[in-house]
């Protein structure tokens, strides 16, 4: 046979027409061939170089700072860079990787603060007990061979035996399986294991394999993917893993991904990511793809639509209608998830455009849908979903809390990776500041939990007032003005792992207040719509990627949530992942989530006449109406920082 | 963009390595380029040259005779050719196309008798009235646009309106449709037509298209494909067409197709054939693919399995178990049928390995399943399916009648094409023979209906006796011995369109008797198993490709079926096609066929202890036990040809 390698030809043609250059990324030492005119960001992306970006190369976040160490064949500084880089940056020869095009061989240095490091991803969630009754089950049978007296169809033979032995009825058979299983029957001497998903026969295996039934539960976050490999005979998690969502390079936030042209790429990226985690879990456990018969998935509505490649064009615009709300089941081979080719993908149902399957899963995992008492859930992320209610009624909404807590829009903001400052304490009297970093590494930036601490500590110590404004009167070497903007130096350059002071500025404070105000106003609007006060709430569940790391009291001090007894506050970790796992091990959980999806009443904050005033009230620390926050008021009084003039209450 | 044409490169490479030659086929004058070493049969096949073959190029039927008119670059005569060609053939330079390899430019003559001509294909069947209630329905709705107060999911919006306006509930939506319909909603200003198959939304179309709903019903015969384009708003057949089954080149009979290695090719061939008919029907009617939402199909079990590419390996060996018996529904895009991409393919259920969906369809169309009185159906083909019963109970079996009636194994046998002798009469006294050809063309061979006539006429005129043996004592110029085998000259060379006498030999008689004996014994075994006599049968329905063309009385004289009142015999034409059409226009018909498939009791003739004796008895004309055939006995007596010694009755 004549074999013609088209790939090779195409490649060599490209070589002839477009020159290639070599880029070395330091300190990793990674060498890459790049095409003429590619940006350093694109090169780093394709080569897996650890380089921070929040905007995904759009030239708007200013995080992907690099230094050209050797070589000069690049374009000159762009307008975006002039805007985003400081004079100091420019003096050091700093460039933005996404703005710098490569026209010759160069050596690029990625400074410490432009590297992500090993990220801490919350994958553990509460374990909500549930009866083991997975959708996938196996049945071992031994059949009589066909004879002239009994020449019935192979499928009928199997079904009759499944009825005789297990009283199973009304079974279907997967079409792809049907086309090729008959040889397996003969080869295994008619001793076989039948794998059934609900009422569909999805696999037929030689001999008795009933002790091996596995499933894969995943949580598709905007930022992070988490996966759990589960033994469906015991319900136990055998291994768990996580990965940054490989869609991030195509857009950090949901909106930019929904606007990204090539949706096929986005779909391919997330599926590749889920397969990558699975590969790792399989290696850890020695389980094979063909032994994994179902994947259950949760994610917000945008992640859901992008995963299935459902049109997201209209989801991005008010009134943000999703295309579909109900759960979706498809065959794994339809979409390329590397479990058994006839295995099923079950995606939990949604509630609305901005309240997705992840929130349905949180409601399932926290069991508020069957609680007699009123519960509140807060799933903190770029969008924070709030649910309020009990077995009678549940309201939900989505708050545009934004990516500030994840590091975006905050000058030294970063994700919860090694070297991120995660705890800050300020002595109200001496104003001396102490901090703790993740993995106790040299500090590189500030992650979400420390931002909450900072706001609370700065409020208590009077560095900021209830409006979030820096107190100009305080004299402390850590507080200074740069370009007329006040800022607090957290770690001076000489003590940290970067080449500049790590600071937290007035602008940063404003961003965090906006984020917490979004959450708080969501909670307030739900309480109002339900006709409840915070005292009526029996439990507050905090879920989400960084939820568990927040200091409950500090979060309450800054007014992220109303003044609730802290004993009522419970961390539930990745409760969305817990919900996905519950649906994997329990058919009944699948029924419950359908009910939740139908029952939960979505409240569109933008359509509530009180939303704007509530949001303005929530822009105070902790909230405009201090009388309703007696404990914090008392605390502020003790610190001597209770405001002389009470904040304006918008009504 | 750099475009690299791989096809071209591959092709030119092939040219360099394998030489090509030119073959001209006469009298068509078709010129073809062929590769060195290809057979003339392969060349004819690839170029669509009209050349008869029954074994599909296996070198066993001896039908593809050709003459090399010019050029000598071919291999020398093979052993197969020595066996299958007569001395006369060899003298004329006759070769078998499938045995002759091309090593240079040649001109090939395809003699008249090696051409198929335009074939008569029975596509009309009885019209059994049925209530119009197709599985596909359309609903026109106008929706309110989403607002902040009403941001529900697009699918929910549609479902709620379908409930409000039409009280439709429990609808699903096709996954492929779901991923892309939301733009249609907006582009059509929320005025849309919803297409629903059973309870699944399969298409959403702009504006009101409810007046255009079409379906395609097909009958996949071993030899012939038939297709019907039907208006599902009226139930009327708008156009019908047919085609030889494009699988024939891969094997004339079912067994050789089941043994053909490359099943993908077989599947592709039949799908291409069905698409080809559809293309023609669409052109005739101006209907578009996307307006055709369902295809219903019937066919025997082997055709069914090959269509879906289900493993046929075990179907070919005793006890011939099919893989699956129940009806199959899949999406058209799964298999490449050119109706609406989300349209459905519904294949009627089967009964057993040799009683397929075609027979289920015949039972549906003849309505014997609801008849109070006992009915018998005979669907004549390479396999003749027999069904016997009424609304209480139905038995069925399959008789290996073989392809003799279709022309195989009969020296001058041919299919019912132009120039085929279809009627023969012999005057019992003068023995003068008259005949009629299809389209009144110059005679080329003998088709099935004439074979039945010949046996009956030869019996009545005493040319053969009840054992089928030629009467040596008769002296007539038309009867002669060639190589010690007696034969009847039907048309001497000078009167016909071939270059030799058209004859019907002792061997041919034996073949036809074997074929009719197979049918007859099937009927006898079913009657016995049911505990019935032929007098108990109220109706005999004759279906099948050539059923309508058989002379009822002659068929009875040769004992194809027992001595039944001819008024009870009804032709039903392509009743299998009728059944497919009924299932297309009626959901209820689909329910009925499922019942039929489950209810009909398959009788495996090979497993019946009386089968062998019955078959031997049926090898007499009309049947060994002449007392049970009083009318034919009387007729034979009148002709003076009642046997002196009654036939042996096997018991």
């Amino acid at each position: 046979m004549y074999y013609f390698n088209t790939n090779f030809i195409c490649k060599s043609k490209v070589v002839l027409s477009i020159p290639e250059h070599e880029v070395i990324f330091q300190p990793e030492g990674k060498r890459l061939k790049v095409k003429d005119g590619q940006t350093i960001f694109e090169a780093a992306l394709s080569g897996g170089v650890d380089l921070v970006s929040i905007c995904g190369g759009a030239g708007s976040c200013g995080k992907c700072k690099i230094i050209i160490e050797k070589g000069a064949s690049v374009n000159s500084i762009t307008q975006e860079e002039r805007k985003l880089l400081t004079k100091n940056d420019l003096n050091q020869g700093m460039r933005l990787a996404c703005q710098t095009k490569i026209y010759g061989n160069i050596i690029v240095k990625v400074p410490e603060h432009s590297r992500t490091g090993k990220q801490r991803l919350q994958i553990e969630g509460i374990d909500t007990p549930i009866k083991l009754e997975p959708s996938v089950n196996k049945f071992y049978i031994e059949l009589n061979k066909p004879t002239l007296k009994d020449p019935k169809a192979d499928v009928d033979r199997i079904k009759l035996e499944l009825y005789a032995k297990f009283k199973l009825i009304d079974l279907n058979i997967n079409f792809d399986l049907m086309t090729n299983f008959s040889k397996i029957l003969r080869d295994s001497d008619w001793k076989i294991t039948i794998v059934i998903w609900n009422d569909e026969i999805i696999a037929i295996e030689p001999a008795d394999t009933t002790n091996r039934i596995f499933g894969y539960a995943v949580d598709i976050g905007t930022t992070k993917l988490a996966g759990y490999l589960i033994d469906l005979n015991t319900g136990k998690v055998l291994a768990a893993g996580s990965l940054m969502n490989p869609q991030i390079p195509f857009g950090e936030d949901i909106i930019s991904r929904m606007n990204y042209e090539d949706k096929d790429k986005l779909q391919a990226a997330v599926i590749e990511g889920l397969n990558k985690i699975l590969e790792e879990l399989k290696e850890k456990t020695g389980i094979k793809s063909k032994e994994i018969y179902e994947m259950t998935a949760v994610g917000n509505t945008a992640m859901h639509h992008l995963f299935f490649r459902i049109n997201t064009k209209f989801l991005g615009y008010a009134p943000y209608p999703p295309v579909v709300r109900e759960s979706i089941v498809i065959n794994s081979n339809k979409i390329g998830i590397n479990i058994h080719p006839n295995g099923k993908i079950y995606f939990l149902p949604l509630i609305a455009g901005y309240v997705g399957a992840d929130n349905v899963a949180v409601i399932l995992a926290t069991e508020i849908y069957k609680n007699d008492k009123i519960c509140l859930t807060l799933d903190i992320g770029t969008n924070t979903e709030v649910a309020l209610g009990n077995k009678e009624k549940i309201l939900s909404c989505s708050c545009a809390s934004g990516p500030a807590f994840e590091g975006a829009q905050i000058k030294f903001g970063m994700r919860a990776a090694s070297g991120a400052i995660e705890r800050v304490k300020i002595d109200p009297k001496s104003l001396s500041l102490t901090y703790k970093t993740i993995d106790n590494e040299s500090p590189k930036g500030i992650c979400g939990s420390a931002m909450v601490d900072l706001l609370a500590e700065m409020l208590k110590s009077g560095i900021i007032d209830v409006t979030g404004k820096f107190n100009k009167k305080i004299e402390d070497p850590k507080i200074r003005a740069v370009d007329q903007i006040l800022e607090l130096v957290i770690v001076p350059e000489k003590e940290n792992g970067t080449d500049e002071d790590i600071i937290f500025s007035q602008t940063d404070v404003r961003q965090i207040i906006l984020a917490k105000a979004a959450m708080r106003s969501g909670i307030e609007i739900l309480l109002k719509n339900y006709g409840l006060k915070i005292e009526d709430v029996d439990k507050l569940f905090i879920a989400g990627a960084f939820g568990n790391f927040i200091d409950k009291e500090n979060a309450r001090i800054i007014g992220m949530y109303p003044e609730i007894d802290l004993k009522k506050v419970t961390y539930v970790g990745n409760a969305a992942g817990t919900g996905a796992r519950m649906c994997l091990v329990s058919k009944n959980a699948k029924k419950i989530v359908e009910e939740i999806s139908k029952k939960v009443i979505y409240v569109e904050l933008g359509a509530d006449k009180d939303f704007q005033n509530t949001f303005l009230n929530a822009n105070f620390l902790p909230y405009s109406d201090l009388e309703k926050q007696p404990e914090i008021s008392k605390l502020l009084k003790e610190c001597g920082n209770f405001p002389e003039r009470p904040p304006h209450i918008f009504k």
Side-chain angles (χ1 to χ4, degrees), chain A residues 478-505:
Chain A
K478 287 193 294 298
I479 297 165
R480 67 189 184 197
V482 173
D483 296 337
Q484 294 184 311
I485 294 170
L486 283 164
E487 59 184 35
L488 172 70
V489 178
I490 316 287
V491 192
E493 180 193 344
K494 57 181 189 289
E495 292 174 22
N496 68 38
T498 75
D499 42 15
E500 54 190 326
D501 297 342
I502 296 175
I503 60 102
F504 194 63
S505 74

Side-chain angles (χ1 to χ4, degrees), chain A residues 135-353:
Chain A
S135 302
V136 188
N137 290 283
K138 284 191 171 186
F139 302 93
Y140 174 68
I141 51 174
E142 299 184 357
L143 300 170
N144 294 319
K145 288 177 202 176
T147 62
L148 278 177
K149 292 267 172 211
D150 170 23
K152 73 171 81 71
D154 292 348
V155 172
D156 287 346
R157 187 171 303 276
I158 290 168
K159 285 190 185 175
L160 283 172
E161 185 60 22
L162 287 172
Y163 176 71
K165 196 166 166 189
F166 301 104
K167 295 288 169 263
L168 299 178
I169 50 162
D170 288 336
L171 298 174
N172 294 311
I173 179 163
N174 178 282
F175 179 75
D176 291 321
L177 171 63
M178 185 161 60
T179 60
N180 67 27
F181 79 89
S182 51
K183 191 167 180 297
I184 299 169
L185 289 187
R186 276 83 182 171
D187 288 351
S188 60
D189 199 27
W190 303 84
K191 295 177 174 66
I192 45 168
T193 300
I194 309 291
V195 189
I196 299 179
W197 188 91
N198 272 1
D199 56 0
E200 180 182 332
I201 300 173
I202 60 168
I204 293 177
E205 299 170 352
D208 185 348
T209 62
T210 48
N211 62 335
R212 304 209 37 101
I213 321 177
F214 304 98
Y216 184 38
V218 302
D219 170 21
I220 304 174
T222 311
T223 305
K224 167 206 84 178
L225 308 178
Y228 310 85
L229 192 56
I230 293 170
D231 185 337
L232 297 182
N233 271 320
T234 64
K236 283 196 183 135
V237 177
L238 301 178
S242 72
L243 198 72
M244 297 297 289
N245 188 332
Q247 290 177 335
I248 293 175
F250 306 106
E252 182 87 356
D253 61 293
I254 291 175
I255 299 291
S256 56
R257 280 184 228 170
M258 288 198 291
N259 290 337
Y260 188 82
E261 267 304 302
D262 191 345
K263 297 294 193 304
D264 288 338
K265 268 197 190 159
L266 289 179
Q267 186 187 33
V270 66
I271 285 166
E272 199 189 312
L274 296 173
N275 282 337
K276 212 164 161 183
I277 298 175
L278 183 60
E279 212 46 55
E280 192 190 304
L281 304 186
K282 278 160 53 192
E283 211 160 282
K284 270 189 202 166
T285 55
I287 290 163
K288 300 196 186 89
S289 276
K290 63 172 188 177
E291 298 174 311
I292 305 167
Y293 304 96
E294 180 176 353
M295 176 179 109
T296 55
V298 299
N300 63 46
T301 303
M303 288 303 109
H304 169 278
H305 280 34
L306 292 173
F307 175 79
F308 288 116
R309 222 215 157 303
I310 295 173
N311 194 337
T312 52
K313 187 170 172 184
F314 309 103
L315 182 59
Y317 298 98
Y320 321 106
V323 171
V324 63
R325 182 190 46 77
E326 295 143 302
S327 64
I328 293 178
V329 179
I330 59 168
N331 280 1
S332 68
N333 58 9
K334 178 101 191 166
I335 207 159
I337 291 287
N338 291 340
I339 61 170
H340 189 290
N342 299 333
K344 298 291 176 188
I345 310 290
Y346 171 87
F347 210 116
L348 275 70
L350 314 171
I351 291 170

Side-chain angles (χ1 to χ4, degrees), chain A residues 12 64 237 341 425 498 514 572 615:
Chain A
S12 56
C64 63
V237 177
K425 265 212 128 9
T498 75
L514 284 174
V572 290
F615 182 72

Side-chain angles (χ1 to χ4, degrees), chain A residues 7-210:
Chain A
N7 289 333
F8 174 72
I9 294 290
C10 287
K11 210 167 166 185
S12 56
K13 268 290 168 193
V14 167
V15 171
L16 288 177
S17 54
I18 306 176
E20 275 193 357
H21 313 296
E22 188 183 65
V23 181
I24 304 175
F25 284 93
Q26 296 294 15
E28 286 187 53
K30 199 165 263 176
R31 279 161 195 270
L32 295 172
K33 289 271 174 214
V34 298
K35 287 181 197 157
D36 192 65
Q38 268 199 309
T39 67
I40 293 176
F41 181 75
E42 288 164 351
L45 201 66
S46 70
V49 172
D50 179 13
L51 176 61
V52 164
S53 167
I54 290 183
C55 69
S60 62
C61 75
K63 293 282 176 191
C64 63
K65 292 178 193 168
I66 48 92
I67 296 166
I68 314 272
E69 284 206 325
K70 202 172 168 185
S73 305
V74 292
N75 60 326
S76 50
I77 299 216
T78 66
Q79 273 204 313
E80 278 74 18
E81 287 174 289
R82 287 194 197 286
K83 225 168 63 189
L84 292 161
L85 294 170
T86 62
K87 268 185 201 156
N88 190 25
D89 287 341
L90 294 168
N91 289 342
Q92 288 179 58
M94 207 74 93
R95 299 282 312 255
L96 291 181
C98 67
Q99 298 297 308
T100 314
K101 291 179 181 169
I102 305 160
Y103 296 118
N105 296 346
I106 52 170
I107 298 177
V108 172
K109 182 188 164 191
V110 183
E112 180 74 22
H113 55 71
S114 294
R115 281 178 255 151
T116 325
K118 208 181 131 207
Q119 186 141 354
R120 181 163 68 189
L121 296 170
Q122 170 82 30
I123 55 175
E124 290 81 25
I126 39 164
D127 270 314
T128 310
I130 192 156
K131 194 183 149 204
L132 187 68
E133 42 171 354
S135 302
V136 188
N137 290 283
K138 284 191 171 186
F139 302 93
Y140 174 68
I141 51 174
E142 299 184 357
L143 300 170
N144 294 319
K145 288 177 202 176
T147 62
L148 278 177
K149 292 267 172 211
D150 170 23
K152 73 171 81 71
D154 292 348
V155 172
D156 287 346
R157 187 171 303 276
I158 290 168
K159 285 190 185 175
L160 283 172
E161 185 60 22
L162 287 172
Y163 176 71
K165 196 166 166 189
F166 301 104
K167 295 288 169 263
L168 299 178
I169 50 162
D170 288 336
L171 298 174
N172 294 311
I173 179 163
N174 178 282
F175 179 75
D176 291 321
L177 171 63
M178 185 161 60
T179 60
N180 67 27
F181 79 89
S182 51
K183 191 167 180 297
I184 299 169
L185 289 187
R186 276 83 182 171
D187 288 351
S188 60
D189 199 27
W190 303 84
K191 295 177 174 66
I192 45 168
T193 300
I194 309 291
V195 189
I196 299 179
W197 188 91
N198 272 1
D199 56 0
E200 180 182 332
I201 300 173
I202 60 168
I204 293 177
E205 299 170 352
D208 185 348
T209 62
T210 48

